[in-house]
Every structure is written in C-alpha cells, then in structure tokens.
Amino acid sequence: MAHGYQNYIGGEWVPAASGQTFDDLNPADRDDLIGRFPRSDARDVDRAVQAAQEGFARWARVPAPRRAEVVRKAGETLRRRKDELGRLMTREMGKVLTEALGDVQEGIDTAEYMFGEGRRLFGVQAPCELPQKFGVAIRVPVGVVAAITPWNFPLAIPTWKIFPALVCGNAVVFKPAEDTPLLATLLVEILAEAGLPGGVLNLVQGFGEEAGDALVRHPGVHLVSFTGSTEVGRKVATICAAEGKKVSLEMGGKNVILVMDDARLDLAVDGAVWGGFGTSGQRCTAASRVIVHEGVASAFLDRFVERARRLRLGGGLEPTTDVGPVINARQLQRIHEYTQIGRSEGARVLTGGEPATEGALARGHFYRPTVFADVEPKMRIAREEIFGPSVAVLRAKNLDEAIEIANATNYGLSSAIYTRDIDRAFRAIEALATGITYVNASTIGAEVQFPFGGVRQTGNGHREGGWTVLDIMTEWKTVYIDYSGRLQRAQIDV
Ligand code: UN1
C-alpha cells in the first residue's frame, strides 16, 4: 500500500476536495511507486488562498528578523537531513545523488542568505527638497504569492521563491510540479516544524490545468512566481496581464558554449559534457548548443563524442552512474522526436539518438547522451529547447560569427566562452544576449547570492536569487514625513 500524502492548508494536512489522487513514480523504475498525492482543483486552491490571506494578515506584522529565524531553522533541518533528502530526490526525480545533494545544498545556501536578509531588507533614504521633510523608501510585502515550481530542481527552486517570500512578509500558496510532490511535501513539513504559523505557507498538489490554472486566476493572489516551460509561462503571463497581477517568469533556455581555437580543449570538453549531460540535460541552464571555432572543431568533436559515448546510464543512487533517467515517458518521447527532427533537417547523430532499454534501464526513462554534428543555425535543434541529454554542435569561422549564431535564438539564459584571450572574453561578455555568462566554465553553476534569470523569452525582466529577488517579493513604499508644521508644496515652495 503506497503512502498517501495530503495538501497543507491553513496549518492542517487535508485531502483534495475531489478525494482523488495521482501517483508519484520513480523515473528510473516505473514499478517503484513513491506515493499517492492529492489531485487538487479550484476548490482546494480557493481554500488555500483564503488561508493565505488570513496568514498574511498576521505574518506581515511579525518583524522581519523573526520571520527570517524560521527560514534559518528550516535551513538547519535541510543541512541535518541533507543525505536523506538527496536520496529521496534521486528516487523521485532521477538525478544522480551528487547532483541531488547539490540541489539540497542550494536550498541550504538560500536559507542562509535569506536569513541575513531578515536584518537587512534595506530601504533607501534620500534628501528632500523642502526643509523639515524626511523621505525614505521602504520595502513592504506584496501579499499572497503563488509559487509554481518545476520538477528539475525539486528543492532548490522552491526555496528560491518561498524563503525570500516569507522573509519579506508574504504568505504563500505553493503548487509544485506533479512529478516531484514528495520533496515539496518535505520542504513544507520542514518549514512548518521550524515554527511557521498556519496559513502562511499552503501546499496544493496537482496538475497545472486543474490546480495551477485556478491558482494563477484566483483574485486573492497578488503575485505569481513561475518557473517552467515557455509555453506555460506565456499562458501564466497572459492571465496575469488580464487580471492585473504581478508576475515573475523563469522559462526556457537554449544555452550555448563557445569554444575558441585558443581554448584549453580538455577543459572545454569537460564543460560541454557537464553542461550538456549533467542532470540528463534537464536544467534551464543546460548547454544544448556548442559553437566551436572551425580550427579546433574536429579535435573538439572527437573528444566530446568519445566522452559522451563513455557516459554510464543508470539509477542515480548507483555510484557508477554518470547520467540518470529523464523525468517521464512524455519527455522521453519529446527528446526522441527532436532527434528525428534533427535527422530530417540534415544534422548527423554522432552518438546516442535513441532511448536506452538494455537490462534494468527498460524499467525507466533513459535516453542515450546524444551529439549532433553538421548543425546549421536555422535548424530547430539549434533553436528550440529540448530539455534532455542532447547537444547540437555548430561551427563558426571566428568569434563574431560564433556570437551571431549564439544570439540567433529567442532565449537568453546562460552562455559560456572558452578562450585564453582576454579581449575575446570581454567581447563575448558584452555581446552575448543572456542573463548569465561564464568564462572558462560551463553554462551551469549559478550561486544563490547572484541574480538568476535570462533575457528575451527566457523571462520577463525579473531575477530570482541574490538581492534582486527582493524586488519581486516586495513593493516599494515611499514615505514622506513633514515635521515643519506648515503646508509645504513640493515643486512650488522651493
Ligand atoms: C535551473 O535549471 O532551473 O546553475 C536552475 C545551475 C543551478 C540552477 C539551475 N545552480 O545550473
């Protein structure tokens, strides 16, 4: 009998109004049922938002350093239970254990950073033009925040949204991806145990069309913070525009590594392997394109293909595994469709290009690390996000051409350049249209104390992570205090 889990609304664990559930399965082994979770709909969302409204009224009055104390305690629990949580994450989501532990660590880092923010949350003071008048801008909470999160970072991304939302004095309704409901449940339990009052954080499990849509539309939600696909993000943005809600979006990417002819080639190959096949290519920041200077293209491809071919697929808890499964059957099929699209466009598959089904792999959703050569910039595999272990390698005559190709996509999250030439590095930093650029490191490796996000269709101008998340989770309130005791008219009595 599989363990049955519940929603968390107003400080109580409750089933979905529908009484229905959905199954959470191990992507490396479909026979491994992790648990049954409530299949929520608009009724559950409505209760959760009402609870959040009540929670907000109390929580906003708690001083920020006290609010941050809860986040600090949650961070301590995450640290204490890191290994257990990492193992459960591997079982639920598939990424190899070292990466799952990194995901938990990112949550711990966020807790520590946001704990400090409880004693900062700096406002801005500036002089006033009139005498005996004081002006200061302070941060105030937004209200009820909907946190809608993806499955690829089941812990880190929820903490990026929830921890700052709480420190800033908001109440949250959390709708995690239906592929990773367990880690979401554990995070909520940990925050509740850390002393969060009921109603301040509410968890509604379920599917986007049933629970997510109702949450985004709910008039009691003031801000939607969404990380996920561009397709869904657009819908979220459209609804929020119509309803006049604040919305912060973190969506797709078609991230790129540039390899110049003066690069340390082995380092560049390491970066391409890690960026392309780490987390089975299922990061927003995954390096799904590599643009190589023609002078080193053959040498790079030989080494890269050799390394890709040697990667060992398997369950993420096995220490010998390099690449785990992809999240579900739908994604596996989508990745394979892109292989067929690439082939039909004239690209050449140098390795991989098919699901892996030998032995125990048949029980899960495994795809062979895939490298495409002879890729042209206009091909769909060079422009569209695949979100799997599939890398398109393109050639360029020089840096200018490489940058032009790199920028020929609608996305703009992460980019990297391998070069030993400082002029080339700075030219790339200046010209690459992405929210993050790495020099001599791969496209993945963002740290929580810096802004995270992308330009163009990757986002809508907001940045989670770092201090910039505070601009999402708070509104500015400007306060003028006139202690002159007389009518003073700005712009007139000066
Ligand atoms: C994501 O894929 O959505 O830099 C987040 C990285 C990680 C975060 C990725 N620290 O790849």
Side-chain angles (χ1 to χ4, degrees), residues 255 257 269-283 285-290 304 311 323 369-370 387-392 442-444:
N255 312 298
I257 294 177
V269 171
D270 281 345
V273 170
W274 172 229
F277 305 123
T279 328
S280 306
Q282 303 172 115
R283 291 192 187 218
T285 50
S288 54
R289 295 182 295 159
V290 181
F304 183 45
L311 294 172
V323 178
T370 300
F387 225 63
S390 188
V391 179
S442 192
T443 54
I444 64 188

Side-chain angles (χ1 to χ4, degrees), residues 152-198:
N152 68 333
F153 276 81
L155 198 86
I157 293 180
T159 67
W160 291 2
K161 297 182 192 302
I162 294 171
F163 290 173
L166 296 176
V167 171
C168 290
N170 301 287
V172 178
V173 179
F174 175 26
K175 206 305 269 173
E178 66 271 19
D179 288 292
T180 51
L182 177 63
L183 263 290
T185 302
L186 295 171
L187 176 62
V188 171
E189 270 176 22
I190 286 168
L191 275 158
E193 282 165 24
L196 206 59

